[in-house]
Amino acid sequence: MPDAYRKTMIRQIAQHAHSEIIGMQPEGNWVTRAPSLRRKAILLAKVQDEAGHGLYLYSAAETLGADREDLTARLISGAQKYSSIFNYPTLTFADVGVIGWLVDGAAICNQVPLCRSSYGPYARAMIRICKEESFHQRQGYELLMTMMRGTPAQREMVQDATNRWWWPSLMMFGPPDAESPNTAQSMRWRIKRHTNDELRQRFVDMTVPQAAALGVTLPDPLLRWNDERGNYDFGEVDWAEFKRVVAGNGPCNAQRIEHRRAAHEGGAWVREAAAVHAAKRAARKEAAA
Ligand code: BYC
């Protein structure tokens, strides 16, 4: 395996794993405030699924020789990135639905092609992740459908959440192809099967009819069908905002990392106890043999 391939793969898988783990925070914010027991159980299960995704992905990174403790240290120190999307606040319960619809929707669009990515352990992890993401997307859409059948205030909450999450969701696909340093090489290696712009376009085309069925307006006056291209035209993403958020200066970056650091430090005694227990079991097994 070429060293540069290994490095790229570790970078992408680690960033993906970190995103799943940090991604538990915005929705986790609503676990104690879900409006019913049913919604609380659904949300708990979803957030728990994200932890599972993070664990498969850290395991995939380990097959390349990465050390999990080291990857966590790099996340906390800011040396490794995670998806920009998780640096935005979740202000109302409608955000839970919109994250399922748009954020998980964008994630599926980006990750389904990764099931055929050239690195087997990553591709195989992605198959199960995509099935679960697809379920998450539907739960988000179902929640929004329910809210849209509710009161005018509930419909307004859904529209407001859509307005706030639409553009950040488009940023999830990464910078425009012309400014993406990794795309060309990752396409040659078949790590990526489509470019950032291709997947962003696919997401827009897929989402516009869903917004219409839901009865919300996507906050882009330039959004319209282009007969010639056979795609929707859409406005320019605010790339200055994207760069600010990726550089660590989004609305919640500091809070997300601080929370992760505190959880990691708070869990040190569990890791220590588990390691001592494992060593004791191994010693007992050896003595018995
Ligand atoms: N945010 O050359 P590029 C989820 C970085 S979790 C932050 O295009 P590449 C979920 C990029 O890493 C979903 N950084 O890079 C969880 C690169 O960094 P370096 C997470 C970004 O890798 C919980 C630099 O910018 N999904 O679904 O070819 C609840 C230049 O970019 C972003 C994945 O991780 C961004 N948005 O393409 C709910 C998918 N975009 O080189 C849901 C796997 C780019 O400076 N990853 N960067 O270190 C990928 O498919 C690719 O890595 C990307 C970027 C398309 C994201």
Side-chain angles (χ1 to χ4, degrees), residues 11-12 15-16 19-20 50 81-84 86 104 107 110-111 122 133 171-175 180-182 192 196 242 246:
R11 176 186 64 77
Q12 178 164 330
Q15 178 184 311
H16 194 162
S19 303
E20 300 282 358
E50 312 297 357
K81 297 184 168 78
Y82 60 90
S83 182
S84 50
F86 303 116
D104 288 291
N110 166 264
Q111 289 171 24
Y122 186 46
E133 296 290 16
M171 295 175 195
M172 286 176 73
F173 295 92
S180 162
N182 300 302
K192 288 169 88 161
N196 299 356
F242 170 74
V246 173

PDB file of all heavy atoms in Angstrom, residues 11-12 15-16 19-20 50 81-84 86 104 107 110-111 122 133 171-175 180-182 192 196 242 246, ligand 1:
ATOM      1  N   ARG A  11      -6.657   9.823   7.366  1.00  0.00           N
ATOM      2  CA  ARG A  11      -7.200  11.180   7.529  1.00  0.00           C
ATOM      3  C   ARG A  11      -8.715  11.168   7.333  1.00  0.00           C
ATOM      4  O   ARG A  11      -9.472  11.660   8.163  1.00  0.00           O
ATOM      5  CB  ARG A  11      -6.542  12.127   6.511  1.00  0.00           C
ATOM      6  CG  ARG A  11      -7.103  13.534   6.529  1.00  0.00           C
ATOM      7  CD  ARG A  11      -6.526  14.405   5.422  1.00  0.00           C
ATOM      8  NE  ARG A  11      -6.847  13.966   4.090  1.00  0.00           N
ATOM      9  CZ  ARG A  11      -8.033  14.153   3.489  1.00  0.00           C
ATOM     10  NH1 ARG A  11      -8.988  14.809   4.106  1.00  0.00           N
ATOM     11  NH2 ARG A  11      -8.248  13.706   2.266  1.00  0.00           N
ATOM     12  N   GLN A  12      -9.166  10.558   6.253  1.00  0.00           N
ATOM     13  CA  GLN A  12     -10.601  10.593   5.957  1.00  0.00           C
ATOM     14  C   GLN A  12     -11.406   9.766   6.965  1.00  0.00           C
ATOM     15  O   GLN A  12     -12.443  10.204   7.450  1.00  0.00           O
ATOM     16  CB  GLN A  12     -10.871  10.109   4.526  1.00  0.00           C
ATOM     17  CG  GLN A  12     -12.370  10.093   4.222  1.00  0.00           C
ATOM     18  CD  GLN A  12     -12.701   9.990   2.751  1.00  0.00           C
ATOM     19  OE1 GLN A  12     -11.943  10.465   1.911  1.00  0.00           O
ATOM     20  NE2 GLN A  12     -13.830   9.382   2.429  1.00  0.00           N
ATOM     21  N   GLN A  15     -11.454  11.536  10.357  1.00  0.00           N
ATOM     22  CA  GLN A  15     -12.343  12.697  10.330  1.00  0.00           C
ATOM     23  C   GLN A  15     -13.804  12.243  10.353  1.00  0.00           C
ATOM     24  O   GLN A  15     -14.656  12.851  11.016  1.00  0.00           O
ATOM     25  CB  GLN A  15     -12.079  13.540   9.084  1.00  0.00           C
ATOM     26  CG  GLN A  15     -13.044  14.721   9.014  1.00  0.00           C
ATOM     27  CD  GLN A  15     -12.889  15.546   7.747  1.00  0.00           C
ATOM     28  OE1 GLN A  15     -11.771  15.919   7.399  1.00  0.00           O
ATOM     29  NE2 GLN A  15     -13.973  15.834   7.088  1.00  0.00           N
ATOM     30  N   HIS A  16     -14.059  11.166   9.671  1.00  0.00           N
ATOM     31  CA  HIS A  16     -15.422  10.637   9.629  1.00  0.00           C
ATOM     32  C   HIS A  16     -15.826  10.111  11.017  1.00  0.00           C
ATOM     33  O   HIS A  16     -16.911  10.423  11.516  1.00  0.00           O
ATOM     34  CB  HIS A  16     -15.471   9.530   8.557  1.00  0.00           C
ATOM     35  CG  HIS A  16     -16.851   9.126   8.153  1.00  0.00           C
ATOM     36  ND1 HIS A  16     -17.110   8.454   6.996  1.00  0.00           N
ATOM     37  CD2 HIS A  16     -18.038   9.290   8.778  1.00  0.00           C
ATOM     38  CE1 HIS A  16     -18.419   8.229   6.922  1.00  0.00           C
ATOM     39  NE2 HIS A  16     -18.994   8.721   7.985  1.00  0.00           N
ATOM     40  N   SER A  19     -16.516  12.871  13.359  1.00  0.00           N
ATOM     41  CA  SER A  19     -17.788  13.536  13.044  1.00  0.00           C
ATOM     42  C   SER A  19     -18.951  12.783  13.679  1.00  0.00           C
ATOM     43  O   SER A  19     -19.900  13.392  14.184  1.00  0.00           O
ATOM     44  CB  SER A  19     -18.014  13.597  11.529  1.00  0.00           C
ATOM     45  OG  SER A  19     -16.946  14.246  10.896  1.00  0.00           O
ATOM     46  N   GLU A  20     -18.883  11.464  13.629  1.00  0.00           N
ATOM     47  CA  GLU A  20     -19.963  10.676  14.229  1.00  0.00           C
ATOM     48  C   GLU A  20     -20.020  10.925  15.740  1.00  0.00           C
ATOM     49  O   GLU A  20     -21.101  11.062  16.315  1.00  0.00           O
ATOM     50  CB  GLU A  20     -19.742   9.171  13.968  1.00  0.00           C
ATOM     51  CG  GLU A  20     -19.691   8.789  12.491  1.00  0.00           C
ATOM     52  CD  GLU A  20     -21.068   8.713  11.824  1.00  0.00           C
ATOM     53  OE1 GLU A  20     -22.080   8.931  12.519  1.00  0.00           O
ATOM     54  OE2 GLU A  20     -21.116   8.449  10.612  1.00  0.00           O
ATOM     55  N   GLU A  50     -25.055   6.647  16.390  1.00  0.00           N
ATOM     56  CA  GLU A  50     -23.915   7.467  15.939  1.00  0.00           C
ATOM     57  C   GLU A  50     -22.640   7.031  16.676  1.00  0.00           C
ATOM     58  O   GLU A  50     -21.555   6.981  16.092  1.00  0.00           O
ATOM     59  CB  GLU A  50     -24.133   8.971  16.174  1.00  0.00           C
ATOM     60  CG  GLU A  50     -25.472   9.545  15.732  1.00  0.00           C
ATOM     61  CD  GLU A  50     -25.747   9.472  14.242  1.00  0.00           C
ATOM     62  OE1 GLU A  50     -24.877   9.020  13.482  1.00  0.00           O
ATOM     63  OE2 GLU A  50     -26.870   9.831  13.843  1.00  0.00           O
ATOM     64  N   LYS A  81      -9.643  17.178  11.867  1.00  0.00           N
ATOM     65  CA  LYS A  81     -10.935  17.854  11.680  1.00  0.00           C
ATOM     66  C   LYS A  81     -12.109  16.908  11.960  1.00  0.00           C
ATOM     67  O   LYS A  81     -11.952  15.703  12.036  1.00  0.00           O
ATOM     68  CB  LYS A  81     -11.021  18.323  10.229  1.00  0.00           C
ATOM     69  CG  LYS A  81      -9.973  19.344   9.812  1.00  0.00           C
ATOM     70  CD  LYS A  81     -10.250  19.793   8.376  1.00  0.00           C
ATOM     71  CE  LYS A  81      -9.432  21.016   7.995  1.00  0.00           C
ATOM     72  NZ  LYS A  81      -8.044  20.676   7.667  1.00  0.00           N
ATOM     73  N   TYR A  82     -13.282  17.513  12.051  1.00  0.00           N
ATOM     74  CA  TYR A  82     -14.563  16.776  12.008  1.00  0.00           C
ATOM     75  C   TYR A  82     -15.514  17.661  11.227  1.00  0.00           C
ATOM     76  O   TYR A  82     -15.217  18.834  10.973  1.00  0.00           O
ATOM     77  CB  TYR A  82     -15.078  16.477  13.427  1.00  0.00           C
ATOM     78  CG  TYR A  82     -15.331  17.702  14.272  1.00  0.00           C
ATOM     79  CD1 TYR A  82     -16.574  18.331  14.280  1.00  0.00           C
ATOM     80  CD2 TYR A  82     -14.320  18.269  15.046  1.00  0.00           C
ATOM     81  CE1 TYR A  82     -16.798  19.473  15.033  1.00  0.00           C
ATOM     82  CE2 TYR A  82     -14.537  19.408  15.795  1.00  0.00           C
ATOM     83  CZ  TYR A  82     -15.774  20.008  15.793  1.00  0.00           C
ATOM     84  OH  TYR A  82     -15.991  21.147  16.526  1.00  0.00           O
ATOM     85  N   SER A  83     -16.659  17.094  10.827  1.00  0.00           N
ATOM     86  CA  SER A  83     -17.524  17.822   9.900  1.00  0.00           C
ATOM     87  C   SER A  83     -17.999  19.160  10.471  1.00  0.00           C
ATOM     88  O   SER A  83     -18.459  19.244  11.615  1.00  0.00           O
ATOM     89  CB  SER A  83     -18.734  16.964   9.529  1.00  0.00           C
ATOM     90  OG  SER A  83     -19.522  17.663   8.593  1.00  0.00           O
ATOM     91  N   SER A  84     -17.915  20.175   9.619  1.00  0.00           N
ATOM     92  CA  SER A  84     -18.318  21.541   9.967  1.00  0.00           C
ATOM     93  C   SER A  84     -19.764  21.599  10.496  1.00  0.00           C
ATOM     94  O   SER A  84     -20.091  22.441  11.325  1.00  0.00           O
ATOM     95  CB  SER A  84     -18.210  22.425   8.726  1.00  0.00           C
ATOM     96  OG  SER A  84     -18.862  21.812   7.618  1.00  0.00           O
ATOM     97  N   PHE A  86     -21.476  20.076  12.591  1.00  0.00           N
ATOM     98  CA  PHE A  86     -21.798  19.864  14.005  1.00  0.00           C
ATOM     99  C   PHE A  86     -21.380  21.029  14.896  1.00  0.00           C
ATOM    100  O   PHE A  86     -21.434  20.949  16.111  1.00  0.00           O
ATOM    101  CB  PHE A  86     -21.225  18.527  14.480  1.00  0.00           C
ATOM    102  CG  PHE A  86     -21.751  17.392  13.645  1.00  0.00           C
ATOM    103  CD1 PHE A  86     -20.918  16.619  12.864  1.00  0.00           C
ATOM    104  CD2 PHE A  86     -23.118  17.160  13.604  1.00  0.00           C
ATOM    105  CE1 PHE A  86     -21.425  15.606  12.061  1.00  0.00           C
ATOM    106  CE2 PHE A  86     -23.642  16.152  12.803  1.00  0.00           C
ATOM    107  CZ  PHE A  86     -22.790  15.377  12.030  1.00  0.00           C
ATOM    108  N   ASP A 104     -28.579  13.923   7.795  1.00  0.00           N
ATOM    109  CA  ASP A 104     -28.453  12.488   7.486  1.00  0.00           C
ATOM    110  C   ASP A 104     -28.688  12.256   5.996  1.00  0.00           C
ATOM    111  O   ASP A 104     -28.071  11.374   5.402  1.00  0.00           O
ATOM    112  CB  ASP A 104     -29.394  11.653   8.351  1.00  0.00           C
ATOM    113  CG  ASP A 104     -28.923  11.604   9.804  1.00  0.00           C
ATOM    114  OD1 ASP A 104     -27.888  10.985  10.063  1.00  0.00           O
ATOM    115  OD2 ASP A 104     -29.557  12.222  10.665  1.00  0.00           O
ATOM    116  N   ALA A 107     -25.497  13.044   4.415  1.00  0.00           N
ATOM    117  CA  ALA A 107     -24.533  11.997   4.777  1.00  0.00           C
ATOM    118  C   ALA A 107     -24.747  10.757   3.911  1.00  0.00           C
ATOM    119  O   ALA A 107     -23.790  10.171   3.403  1.00  0.00           O
ATOM    120  CB  ALA A 107     -24.674  11.656   6.260  1.00  0.00           C
ATOM    121  N   ASN A 110     -23.447  11.264   0.380  1.00  0.00           N
ATOM    122  CA  ASN A 110     -21.981  11.217   0.361  1.00  0.00           C
ATOM    123  C   ASN A 110     -21.452   9.800   0.619  1.00  0.00           C
ATOM    124  O   ASN A 110     -20.434   9.382   0.069  1.00  0.00           O
ATOM    125  CB  ASN A 110     -21.466  12.215   1.429  1.00  0.00           C
ATOM    126  CG  ASN A 110     -20.011  12.040   1.766  1.00  0.00           C
ATOM    127  OD1 ASN A 110     -19.691  11.366   2.741  1.00  0.00           O
ATOM    128  ND2 ASN A 110     -19.138  12.616   0.983  1.00  0.00           N
ATOM    129  N   GLN A 111     -22.184   9.032   1.446  1.00  0.00           N
ATOM    130  CA  GLN A 111     -21.609   7.770   1.927  1.00  0.00           C
ATOM    131  C   GLN A 111     -22.017   6.544   1.125  1.00  0.00           C
ATOM    132  O   GLN A 111     -21.303   5.545   1.156  1.00  0.00           O
ATOM    133  CB  GLN A 111     -21.962   7.579   3.409  1.00  0.00           C
ATOM    134  CG  GLN A 111     -21.206   8.561   4.284  1.00  0.00           C
ATOM    135  CD  GLN A 111     -21.675   8.578   5.731  1.00  0.00           C
ATOM    136  OE1 GLN A 111     -22.241   7.613   6.224  1.00  0.00           O
ATOM    137  NE2 GLN A 111     -21.442   9.678   6.414  1.00  0.00           N
ATOM    138  N   TYR A 122     -13.163   0.041   5.255  1.00  0.00           N
ATOM    139  CA  TYR A 122     -13.961   1.281   5.267  1.00  0.00           C
ATOM    140  C   TYR A 122     -15.265   1.050   4.502  1.00  0.00           C
ATOM    141  O   TYR A 122     -16.348   1.364   4.996  1.00  0.00           O
ATOM    142  CB  TYR A 122     -13.139   2.402   4.625  1.00  0.00           C
ATOM    143  CG  TYR A 122     -13.752   3.791   4.685  1.00  0.00           C
ATOM    144  CD1 TYR A 122     -14.300   4.300   5.858  1.00  0.00           C
ATOM    145  CD2 TYR A 122     -13.733   4.632   3.566  1.00  0.00           C
ATOM    146  CE1 TYR A 122     -14.830   5.585   5.911  1.00  0.00           C
ATOM    147  CE2 TYR A 122     -14.251   5.915   3.611  1.00  0.00           C
ATOM    148  CZ  TYR A 122     -14.810   6.387   4.780  1.00  0.00           C
ATOM    149  OH  TYR A 122     -15.322   7.669   4.830  1.00  0.00           O
ATOM    150  N   GLU A 133     -28.206   5.171   8.627  1.00  0.00           N
ATOM    151  CA  GLU A 133     -28.432   6.587   8.277  1.00  0.00           C
ATOM    152  C   GLU A 133     -29.751   6.755   7.538  1.00  0.00           C
ATOM    153  O   GLU A 133     -30.435   7.767   7.680  1.00  0.00           O
ATOM    154  CB  GLU A 133     -27.303   7.136   7.383  1.00  0.00           C
ATOM    155  CG  GLU A 133     -25.918   7.194   8.002  1.00  0.00           C
ATOM    156  CD  GLU A 133     -25.749   8.231   9.093  1.00  0.00           C
ATOM    157  OE1 GLU A 133     -26.761   8.732   9.623  1.00  0.00           O
ATOM    158  OE2 GLU A 133     -24.590   8.526   9.437  1.00  0.00           O
ATOM    159  N   MET A 171     -22.564  22.554   2.801  1.00  0.00           N
ATOM    160  CA  MET A 171     -21.117  22.638   3.095  1.00  0.00           C
ATOM    161  C   MET A 171     -20.534  21.279   3.480  1.00  0.00           C
ATOM    162  O   MET A 171     -19.329  21.074   3.417  1.00  0.00           O
ATOM    163  CB  MET A 171     -20.854  23.627   4.240  1.00  0.00           C
ATOM    164  CG  MET A 171     -21.210  25.061   3.905  1.00  0.00           C
ATOM    165  SD  MET A 171     -20.995  26.127   5.358  1.00  0.00           S
ATOM    166  CE  MET A 171     -21.889  27.591   4.835  1.00  0.00           C
ATOM    167  N   MET A 172     -21.405  20.354   3.891  1.00  0.00           N
ATOM    168  CA  MET A 172     -20.901  19.033   4.315  1.00  0.00           C
ATOM    169  C   MET A 172     -20.133  18.322   3.200  1.00  0.00           C
ATOM    170  O   MET A 172     -19.302  17.459   3.469  1.00  0.00           O
ATOM    171  CB  MET A 172     -22.068  18.123   4.728  1.00  0.00           C
ATOM    172  CG  MET A 172     -22.682  18.463   6.050  1.00  0.00           C
ATOM    173  SD  MET A 172     -24.111  17.419   6.383  1.00  0.00           S
ATOM    174  CE  MET A 172     -23.344  15.845   6.748  1.00  0.00           C
ATOM    175  N   PHE A 173     -20.452  18.665   1.937  1.00  0.00           N
ATOM    176  CA  PHE A 173     -19.808  17.952   0.818  1.00  0.00           C
ATOM    177  C   PHE A 173     -18.388  18.443   0.551  1.00  0.00           C
ATOM    178  O   PHE A 173     -17.725  17.921  -0.348  1.00  0.00           O
ATOM    179  CB  PHE A 173     -20.683  18.093  -0.442  1.00  0.00           C
ATOM    180  CG  PHE A 173     -22.015  17.411  -0.275  1.00  0.00           C
ATOM    181  CD1 PHE A 173     -23.123  18.109   0.193  1.00  0.00           C
ATOM    182  CD2 PHE A 173     -22.154  16.066  -0.520  1.00  0.00           C
ATOM    183  CE1 PHE A 173     -24.340  17.472   0.396  1.00  0.00           C
ATOM    184  CE2 PHE A 173     -23.361  15.411  -0.333  1.00  0.00           C
ATOM    185  CZ  PHE A 173     -24.459  16.124   0.133  1.00  0.00           C
ATOM    186  N   GLY A 174     -17.947  19.432   1.316  1.00  0.00           N
ATOM    187  CA  GLY A 174     -16.579  19.922   1.161  1.00  0.00           C
ATOM    188  C   GLY A 174     -16.491  21.076   0.181  1.00  0.00           C
ATOM    189  O   GLY A 174     -17.483  21.484  -0.415  1.00  0.00           O
ATOM    190  N   PRO A 175     -15.283  21.629   0.015  1.00  0.00           N
ATOM    191  CA  PRO A 175     -15.108  22.809  -0.839  1.00  0.00           C
ATOM    192  C   PRO A 175     -15.424  22.498  -2.301  1.00  0.00           C
ATOM    193  O   PRO A 175     -15.483  21.329  -2.683  1.00  0.00           O
ATOM    194  CB  PRO A 175     -13.615  23.141  -0.677  1.00  0.00           C
ATOM    195  CG  PRO A 175     -12.980  21.882  -0.207  1.00  0.00           C
ATOM    196  CD  PRO A 175     -14.026  21.147   0.576  1.00  0.00           C
ATOM    197  N   SER A 180     -10.583  21.919  -3.999  1.00  0.00           N
ATOM    198  CA  SER A 180     -10.460  20.721  -3.154  1.00  0.00           C
ATOM    199  C   SER A 180      -9.109  20.047  -3.419  1.00  0.00           C
ATOM    200  O   SER A 180      -8.913  19.443  -4.467  1.00  0.00           O
ATOM    201  CB  SER A 180     -11.615  19.756  -3.472  1.00  0.00           C
ATOM    202  OG  SER A 180     -11.310  18.462  -3.010  1.00  0.00           O
ATOM    203  N   PRO A 181      -8.171  20.189  -2.491  1.00  0.00           N
ATOM    204  CA  PRO A 181      -6.821  19.666  -2.748  1.00  0.00           C
ATOM    205  C   PRO A 181      -6.765  18.140  -2.858  1.00  0.00           C
ATOM    206  O   PRO A 181      -5.887  17.608  -3.523  1.00  0.00           O
ATOM    207  CB  PRO A 181      -6.017  20.149  -1.535  1.00  0.00           C
ATOM    208  CG  PRO A 181      -7.020  20.498  -0.484  1.00  0.00           C
ATOM    209  CD  PRO A 181      -8.282  20.874  -1.204  1.00  0.00           C
ATOM    210  N   ASN A 182      -7.730  17.440  -2.239  1.00  0.00           N
ATOM    211  CA  ASN A 182      -7.616  15.972  -2.177  1.00  0.00           C
ATOM    212  C   ASN A 182      -8.421  15.215  -3.232  1.00  0.00           C
ATOM    213  O   ASN A 182      -8.159  14.026  -3.467  1.00  0.00           O
ATOM    214  CB  ASN A 182      -8.069  15.486  -0.789  1.00  0.00           C
ATOM    215  CG  ASN A 182      -7.223  16.092   0.317  1.00  0.00           C
ATOM    216  OD1 ASN A 182      -6.012  15.930   0.346  1.00  0.00           O
ATOM    217  ND2 ASN A 182      -7.852  16.834   1.214  1.00  0.00           N
ATOM    218  N   LYS A 192     -12.682   8.143  -3.347  1.00  0.00           N
ATOM    219  CA  LYS A 192     -13.912   8.867  -3.659  1.00  0.00           C
ATOM    220  C   LYS A 192     -14.364   8.419  -5.049  1.00  0.00           C
ATOM    221  O   LYS A 192     -13.529   8.275  -5.948  1.00  0.00           O
ATOM    222  CB  LYS A 192     -13.637  10.378  -3.667  1.00  0.00           C
ATOM    223  CG  LYS A 192     -13.401  10.950  -2.274  1.00  0.00           C
ATOM    224  CD  LYS A 192     -12.863  12.363  -2.313  1.00  0.00           C
ATOM    225  CE  LYS A 192     -13.935  13.412  -2.366  1.00  0.00           C
ATOM    226  NZ  LYS A 192     -13.402  14.749  -1.955  1.00  0.00           N
ATOM    227  N   ASN A 196     -16.890  16.425  -4.922  1.00  0.00           N
ATOM    228  CA  ASN A 196     -17.717  17.155  -3.941  1.00  0.00           C
ATOM    229  C   ASN A 196     -18.907  17.844  -4.632  1.00  0.00           C
ATOM    230  O   ASN A 196     -20.038  17.786  -4.146  1.00  0.00           O
ATOM    231  CB  ASN A 196     -16.875  18.224  -3.222  1.00  0.00           C
ATOM    232  CG  ASN A 196     -15.701  17.614  -2.452  1.00  0.00           C
ATOM    233  OD1 ASN A 196     -15.553  16.392  -2.381  1.00  0.00           O
ATOM    234  ND2 ASN A 196     -14.861  18.471  -1.877  1.00  0.00           N
ATOM    235  N   PHE A 242     -17.819  28.751   5.633  1.00  0.00           N
ATOM    236  CA  PHE A 242     -17.313  27.372   5.693  1.00  0.00           C
ATOM    237  C   PHE A 242     -15.874  27.372   6.242  1.00  0.00           C
ATOM    238  O   PHE A 242     -15.539  26.620   7.162  1.00  0.00           O
ATOM    239  CB  PHE A 242     -17.367  26.752   4.286  1.00  0.00           C
ATOM    240  CG  PHE A 242     -16.665  25.419   4.164  1.00  0.00           C
ATOM    241  CD1 PHE A 242     -17.223  24.267   4.696  1.00  0.00           C
ATOM    242  CD2 PHE A 242     -15.443  25.313   3.501  1.00  0.00           C
ATOM    243  CE1 PHE A 242     -16.580  23.033   4.573  1.00  0.00           C
ATOM    244  CE2 PHE A 242     -14.794  24.089   3.369  1.00  0.00           C
ATOM    245  CZ  PHE A 242     -15.361  22.944   3.913  1.00  0.00           C
ATOM    246  N   VAL A 246     -14.536  25.602   9.670  1.00  0.00           N
ATOM    247  CA  VAL A 246     -13.530  24.528   9.626  1.00  0.00           C
ATOM    248  C   VAL A 246     -12.268  24.955  10.392  1.00  0.00           C
ATOM    249  O   VAL A 246     -11.608  24.123  11.021  1.00  0.00           O
ATOM    250  CB  VAL A 246     -13.195  24.137   8.158  1.00  0.00           C
ATOM    251  CG1 VAL A 246     -12.052  23.150   8.107  1.00  0.00           C
ATOM    252  CG2 VAL A 246     -14.432  23.542   7.475  1.00  0.00           C
TER     253      VAL A 246
HETATM  254  N1  BYC B   1     -16.091  19.918   7.418  1.00  0.00           N
HETATM  255  O1  BYC B   1      -9.904  18.218  -0.432  1.00  0.00           O
HETATM  256  P1  BYC B   1     -11.174  18.089   0.303  1.00  0.00           P
HETATM  257  C1  BYC B   1     -22.837  12.048  10.007  1.00  0.00           C
HETATM  258  C2  BYC B   1     -11.727  19.283   4.891  1.00  0.00           C
HETATM  259  S1  BYC B   1     -21.153  12.304  10.094  1.00  0.00           S
HETATM  260  C3  BYC B   1     -14.838  19.913   7.900  1.00  0.00           C
HETATM  261  O2  BYC B   1     -12.434  18.139  -0.502  1.00  0.00           O
HETATM  262  P2  BYC B   1     -11.656  15.286   0.945  1.00  0.00           P
HETATM  263  C4  BYC B   1     -23.674  12.201  11.200  1.00  0.00           C
HETATM  264  C5  BYC B   1     -11.132  18.002   4.350  1.00  0.00           C
HETATM  265  O3  BYC B   1     -11.088  16.988   5.336  1.00  0.00           O
HETATM  266  C6  BYC B   1     -20.726  12.632   8.415  1.00  0.00           C
HETATM  267  N2  BYC B   1     -13.746  19.706   7.111  1.00  0.00           N
HETATM  268  O4  BYC B   1     -11.136  16.761   1.221  1.00  0.00           O
HETATM  269  C7  BYC B   1     -23.167  12.038  12.455  1.00  0.00           C
HETATM  270  C8  BYC B   1      -9.762  18.457   3.941  1.00  0.00           C
HETATM  271  O5  BYC B   1      -8.970  18.498   5.125  1.00  0.00           O
HETATM  272  P3  BYC B   1      -7.361  18.453   5.188  1.00  0.00           P
HETATM  273  C9  BYC B   1     -19.287  12.838   8.181  1.00  0.00           C
HETATM  274  C10 BYC B   1     -14.002  19.504   5.805  1.00  0.00           C
HETATM  275  O6  BYC B   1     -11.319  14.469   2.125  1.00  0.00           O
HETATM  276  C11 BYC B   1     -23.954  12.283  13.573  1.00  0.00           C
HETATM  277  C12 BYC B   1     -10.008  19.876   3.454  1.00  0.00           C
HETATM  278  O7  BYC B   1     -11.212  20.300   4.051  1.00  0.00           O
HETATM  279  N3  BYC B   1     -19.036  12.354   6.848  1.00  0.00           N
HETATM  280  O8  BYC B   1     -23.295  11.778   8.961  1.00  0.00           O
HETATM  281  O9  BYC B   1     -11.219  14.792  -0.383  1.00  0.00           O
HETATM  282  C13 BYC B   1     -25.277  12.689  13.430  1.00  0.00           C
HETATM  283  C14 BYC B   1     -10.119  19.951   1.940  1.00  0.00           C
HETATM  284  O10 BYC B   1     -11.272  19.223   1.430  1.00  0.00           O
HETATM  285  C15 BYC B   1     -15.287  19.484   5.262  1.00  0.00           C
HETATM  286  C16 BYC B   1     -17.785  12.092   6.406  1.00  0.00           C
HETATM  287  O11 BYC B   1     -16.808  12.328   7.068  1.00  0.00           O
HETATM  288  C17 BYC B   1     -16.374  19.709   6.128  1.00  0.00           C
HETATM  289  N4  BYC B   1     -17.637  19.725   5.708  1.00  0.00           N
HETATM  290  O12 BYC B   1     -13.264  15.447   0.870  1.00  0.00           O
HETATM  291  C18 BYC B   1     -25.798  12.827  12.152  1.00  0.00           C
HETATM  292  C19 BYC B   1     -17.709  11.445   5.048  1.00  0.00           C
HETATM  293  N5  BYC B   1     -15.196  19.255   3.942  1.00  0.00           N
HETATM  294  O13 BYC B   1      -6.862  17.847   3.909  1.00  0.00           O
HETATM  295  C20 BYC B   1     -25.004  12.572  11.020  1.00  0.00           C
HETATM  296  C21 BYC B   1     -16.349  10.949   4.648  1.00  0.00           C
HETATM  297  C22 BYC B   1     -13.894  19.136   3.656  1.00  0.00           C
HETATM  298  O14 BYC B   1      -6.996  19.882   5.363  1.00  0.00           O
HETATM  299  N6  BYC B   1     -15.528  12.004   4.149  1.00  0.00           N
HETATM  300  N7  BYC B   1     -13.175  19.284   4.768  1.00  0.00           N
HETATM  301  O15 BYC B   1      -7.062  17.597   6.394  1.00  0.00           O
HETATM  302  C23 BYC B   1     -15.558  12.443   2.857  1.00  0.00           C
HETATM  303  O16 BYC B   1     -16.343  11.991   2.030  1.00  0.00           O
HETATM  304  C24 BYC B   1     -14.543  13.473   2.453  1.00  0.00           C
HETATM  305  O17 BYC B   1     -13.520  13.496   3.420  1.00  0.00           O
HETATM  306  C25 BYC B   1     -15.142  14.910   2.282  1.00  0.00           C
HETATM  307  C26 BYC B   1     -14.001  15.890   1.984  1.00  0.00           C
HETATM  308  C27 BYC B   1     -16.126  14.922   1.109  1.00  0.00           C
HETATM  309  C28 BYC B   1     -15.862  15.389   3.557  1.00  0.00           C
END
